[in-house]
């Protein structure tokens, strides 16, 4: 594959964006400029550059809108529960298990990991962030640390092994030419090592920020998290508000529990792809949230509910776009590097779209070392780079194929493929890039997604390096 100047410009801006992130600066400006210049150079027309800049944002918005939408409906539901006073009642029983912020951190880790292992993190996030995170915050856990716990356990440790559904190890094994059964076991061990180190470091670095239960900052964080900074000025027509408050404090968590039980039952009866993984599961939860929003708004406002429900949805959209809006141009730039989206962005039509990011990675294959240690870290770095597209899964065929090519007497292709899988999914799955599903975690928790990326970056990278070194010793 011969690299063109558009490849080099794309690689230069990717490096610039990474450096900008390291220096804790905003990356929206370089991503927009990079999208424009790459498209202009690739198409040879400045007009096409302008068009592609708009299209990149449009394509990114379409791809991410499902996340924005479920954030909107869940935040709207929380607003309606706040009107009833059911939000406080709902998390009271859960608080009994979270006796302090330290315990709450590890409870979040455990619950998130188990649910994400069965359904992937996408449908797990709304459940956990609606029910458990507020209780954890009330116990003294800062909302940023709670967001880290959810991301590291779900998008990181659970998804990187994908031990139950086995889509990720299946892709890696097929490309590497090895047995899925052996790769999935190695991936599970590496995910535990990476996740254990990342979670331990995240706790160690943030343990001093955990508060006492009576800290006044807790109520402020909860209000910000749920988009409830403004005082409630709505009037209720209901004469039985305490009764409705108690009903919805029970109805909402029970509804979510029934959703989870139903999803588990479909998996048990329908095989490892039971029909409610990923986006399907999130859509199911989102639909249930909309109906609960409707019922709770009617219970509070009665005939005024016709106006109140619109206000809640507007508040939800404002919260979602205020928190997550900057992610759209960032995602647009990295979507331009993927052949799955480049055709739509560049308006190529039926022609072959470029795969700028993957071409850059593939072109480096001939320079990769044959040493076991260097080969392992080369595959890890390539996995991390391919994860920059925000998927985590799209780079697995490449890391798998490279693993098969680089394997020698001192290292097994199964081990290399598992290492590449760790790099790709911990990055793009995602824990350390803002335009992945990490945006949903940040959105539900009401924290800046770029700040969450910075908090996760150190623990995750250390975990990946250590797990790669241990993989060479263990396997």
């Amino acid at each position: 594959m011969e690299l063109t100047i558009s490849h080099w410009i794309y690689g230069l801006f990717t490096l610039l964006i990474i450096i900008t992130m390291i220096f804790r600066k905003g990356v929206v400006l370089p991503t927009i400029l990079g999208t424009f210049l790459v498209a202009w150079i690739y198409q040879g027309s400045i007009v096409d550059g302008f068009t592609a800049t708009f299209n990149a944002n449009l394509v990114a918005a379409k791809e991410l809108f499902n996340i924005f939408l479920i954030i909107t409906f869940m935040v709207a539901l929380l607003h309606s529960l706040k009107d009833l006073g059911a939000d406080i009642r709902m998390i009271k029983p859960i608080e009994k298990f979270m006796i302090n912020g330290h315990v709450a951190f590890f409870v979040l880790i455990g619950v998130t990991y188990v649910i994400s292992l069965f359904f992937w993190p996408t449908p797990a996030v709304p459940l956990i962030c609606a029910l458990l995170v507020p209780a954890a915050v009330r116990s003294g856990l800062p909302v940023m640390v709670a967001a880290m716990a959810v991301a590291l356990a779900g998008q990181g440790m659970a998804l990187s092994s994908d031990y139950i559904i086995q889509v990720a190890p299946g892709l890696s094994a097929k490309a590497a030419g090895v047995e899925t059964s052996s790769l999935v076991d190695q991936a599970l061990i590496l995910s535990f090592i990476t996740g254990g180190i990342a979670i331990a470091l995240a706790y160690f670095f943030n343990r001093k920020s955990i508060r006492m239960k009576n800290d006044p900052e807790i109520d402020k964080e909860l209000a910000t998290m749920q988009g409830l900074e403004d005082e409630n000025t709505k009037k209720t027509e209901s004469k039985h508000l305490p009764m409705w408050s108690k009903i919805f404090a029970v109805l909402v968590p029970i509804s979510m529990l029934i959703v989870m039980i139903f999803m588990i039952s479909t998996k048990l009866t329908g095989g490892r792809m039971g029909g409610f993984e990923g986006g399907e599961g999130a859509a199911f939860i989102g639909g249930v949230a909309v109906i609960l929003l409707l019922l709770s708004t009617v219970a509070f406002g009665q005939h005024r509910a016709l106006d109140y429900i619109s206000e809640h949805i507007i508040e939800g959209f404002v919260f979602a776009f205020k928190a997550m809006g900057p992610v759209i141009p960032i995602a647009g730039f990295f979507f331009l590097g993927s052949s799955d989206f480049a055709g739509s962005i560049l308006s190529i039509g039926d022609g072959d779209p470029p795969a700028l990011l993957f071409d850059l990675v593939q072109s480096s294959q001939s320079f990769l070392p044959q040493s076991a240690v260097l080969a392992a870290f080369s595959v890890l770095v390539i996995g991390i780079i391919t994860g920059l597209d925000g998927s985590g899964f799209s780079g697995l065929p490449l890391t798998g194929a490279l693993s098969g090519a680089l394997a020698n007497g001192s290292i097994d292709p199964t081990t290399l493929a598992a290492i590449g899988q760790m790099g790709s999914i911990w990055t793009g799955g995602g824990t350390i890039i803002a335009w992945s599903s990490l945006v949903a975690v940040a959105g539900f928790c009401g924290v800046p997604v770029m700040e969450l990326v910075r908090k996760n970056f150190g623990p995750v990278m250390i975990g990946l390096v250590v797990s790669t070194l241990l993989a060479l010793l263990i396997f």
Side-chain angles (χ1 to χ4, degrees), residues 67 116 120-122 125 147-160 383-384 387-393 421-442 449 452-453 456-457 460 464:
I67 296 175
S116 299
W120 285 343
T122 309
V125 167
M148 292 177 69
V150 173
L152 294 175
Q155 273 90 335
M157 192 161 63
L159 191 60
S160 63
I384 292 171
L388 290 175
D389 71 346
S391 165
F393 285 78
Q421 184 173 308
M422 292 302 107
S424 184
I425 293 182
W426 274 90
T427 303
T431 60
I432 56 173
I433 56 171
W435 48 95
S436 64
S437 59
L438 187 67
V439 70
V441 178
V449 66
L452 181 57
V453 166
N456 285 340
F457 187 82
V460 169
L464 287 171

Side-chain angles (χ1 to χ4, degrees), residues 1 142 192 319 323 369 392 403 452 458:
M1 167 75 208
F192 280 142
F319 177 83
S403 299
L452 181 57

Side-chain angles (χ1 to χ4, degrees), residues 158-178:
L159 191 60
S160 63
S161 72
D162 197 12
Y163 194 76
I164 301 298
I165 303 173
Q166 296 189 9
V167 172
L171 289 170
S172 296
K174 186 175 181 180
V178 298

Side-chain angles (χ1 to χ4, degrees), residues 242-437:
M243 179 191 73
W244 286 118
S245 176
K246 292 177 183 177
I247 288 173
F248 278 91
V250 174
L251 179 61
V252 171
I254 285 181
S255 298
M256 294 301 179
L257 182 62
I258 290 172
V259 166
M260 191 165 63
I261 291 171
F262 179 75
M263 290 167 69
I264 291 173
S265 69
T266 60
K267 175 170 289 297
L268 295 175
T269 57
R272 64 186 180 93
M273 291 297 289
F276 281 98
E277 285 76 21
E280 287 296 318
F284 182 29
I285 295 166
V288 171
V290 173
I291 300 304
L292 289 172
L293 167 64
L294 184 153
L295 295 174
S296 59
T297 307
V298 170
F300 176 79
Q302 295 184 358
H303 74 273
R304 292 178 185 267
L306 295 168
D307 296 322
Y308 288 170
I309 193 168
S310 298
E311 292 176 20
H312 287 319
I313 291 175
I314 290 170
E315 289 163 345
F317 270 116
V318 169
F319 177 83
F321 277 89
K322 184 186 265 187
M324 303 296 107
V327 174
I328 291 175
I330 300 171
F333 173 80
F334 285 96
F335 285 173
L336 178 60
S338 170
S339 59
D340 293 335
F341 304 105
S344 300
I345 294 172
L346 297 170
S347 304
I348 290 175
D350 296 331
D352 289 331
L356 300 173
L357 184 61
F358 287 98
D359 289 346
L360 285 168
V361 173
Q362 282 185 310
S363 67
S364 66
Q365 183 175 354
S366 59
F367 301 101
L368 296 180
Q370 295 302 311
S371 159
V373 175
L374 294 177
F377 278 97
S378 297
V379 171
L380 175 66
V381 170
I382 287 171
I384 292 171
I385 293 171
T386 58
L388 290 175
D389 71 346
S391 165
F393 285 78
S394 60
L396 296 180
L398 177 58
T399 57
L402 287 175
S403 299
L406 290 174
N408 52 51
S410 58
I411 190 164
D412 187 72
T414 304
T415 303
L416 284 176
I419 291 170
Q421 184 173 308
M422 292 302 107
S424 184
I425 293 182
W426 274 90
T427 303
T431 60
I432 56 173
I433 56 171
W435 48 95
S436 64
S437 59

